[in-house]
Amino acid sequence: MKVFTKLLFIALSAILMFGCASKTPKGGAKVDDLNANNGVTTDGTQQGGVGGDPYSDPSSALYNQKRVVYFDLDSTEVTQSDRPTISAHAKYLAGNSGQTVSLEGHADERGSREYNLALGERRSNAVRQLLLAEGVAANQIQTISYGEEKPAETGHDEDAWQYNRRVEFVYGAR
């Protein structure tokens, strides 16, 4: 009976976890209900304010900035279009020396687990290097790779994979 109860709990948890994520219209922003990030969509734009959140404070360097940087397939190169986002985070961190950020690197499901963990690490380190170059103190930045383990989208096609190749900025994560 205990085994049945555990299996039932696991099944219900999986249903809740995967059943709550909303889908994105092609080319549109997606809000991940499992990781709502204070109203920030997975394309990183703000969708409403939360008190004390630097993303909703008009005086903050992060006001309406993205929290996610996306990458091309098998790439660790930050695109030119994402450089201003990283610069805004650098400005915020440099001006708030007590603030810390965790750069969480991710990959899509293609490739081995080990390869994807290494790719996620290289991606988070690429963003870290850009932050350091803009004056952020090394002790403010933590990098971690989840590889393919925490997908933003669970589909098995390019429409899903493009959301999974990313680095997320998570503040206060120490």
Side-chain angles (χ1 to χ4, degrees), residues 122-168:
R122 290 193 310 272
R123 286 175 173 161
S124 60
N125 281 328
V127 173
R128 180 181 192 274
Q129 289 304 100
L130 291 171
L131 291 172
L132 291 172
E134 293 201 33
V136 178
N139 66 352
Q140 290 181 269
I141 307 168
Q142 174 185 357
T143 60
I144 187 166
S145 175
Y146 290 107
E148 64 192 74
E149 301 303 318
K150 290 187 168 189
E153 276 289 330
T154 57
H156 305 288
D157 58 15
E158 184 57 38
D159 286 341
W161 294 329
Q162 68 183 339
Y163 289 111
N164 296 331
R165 300 185 302 256
R166 68 195 190 281
V167 168
E168 295 184 30

Side-chain angles (χ1 to χ4, degrees), residues 64-142:
N64 281 340
Q65 284 296 320
K66 293 172 30 177
R67 292 186 190 205
V68 181
V69 174
Y70 293 100
F71 292 83
D72 290 330
L73 175 64
D74 201 30
S75 175
T76 61
E77 185 175 330
V78 175
T79 64
Q80 284 300 113
S81 63
D82 282 323
R83 301 279 174 136
T85 296
I86 294 171
S87 290
H89 284 274
K91 180 179 178 185
Y92 175 75
L93 287 163
N96 294 278
S97 61
Q99 184 64 264
T100 60
V101 68
S102 179
L103 302 174
E104 298 181 351
H106 300 270
D108 64 37
E109 67 187 350
R110 296 171 288 182
S112 70
R113 182 178 186 276
E114 294 79 14
Y115 179 81
N116 288 335
L117 281 169
L119 182 58
E121 182 177 356
R122 290 193 310 272
R123 286 175 173 161
S124 60
N125 281 328
V127 173
R128 180 181 192 274
Q129 289 304 100
L130 291 171
L131 291 172
L132 291 172
E134 293 201 33
V136 178
N139 66 352
Q140 290 181 269
I141 307 168
Q142 174 185 357

Side-chain angles (χ1 to χ4, degrees), residues 20-96:
C20 291
S22 61
K23 295 292 179 188
T24 302
K26 190 168 187 157
K30 175 181 93 95
V31 175
D32 179 354
D33 293 333
L34 296 174
N35 189 11
N37 289 329
N38 296 324
V40 176
T41 63
T42 56
D43 73 352
T45 56
Q46 180 71 29
Q47 297 295 315
V50 176
D53 180 12
Y55 289 92
S56 61
D57 178 1
S59 66
S60 171
L62 294 183
Y63 181 64
N64 281 340
Q65 284 296 320
K66 293 172 30 177
R67 292 186 190 205
V68 181
V69 174
Y70 293 100
F71 292 83
D72 290 330
L73 175 64
D74 201 30
S75 175
T76 61
E77 185 175 330
V78 175
T79 64
Q80 284 300 113
S81 63
D82 282 323
R83 301 279 174 136
T85 296
I86 294 171
S87 290
H89 284 274
K91 180 179 178 185
Y92 175 75
L93 287 163
N96 294 278

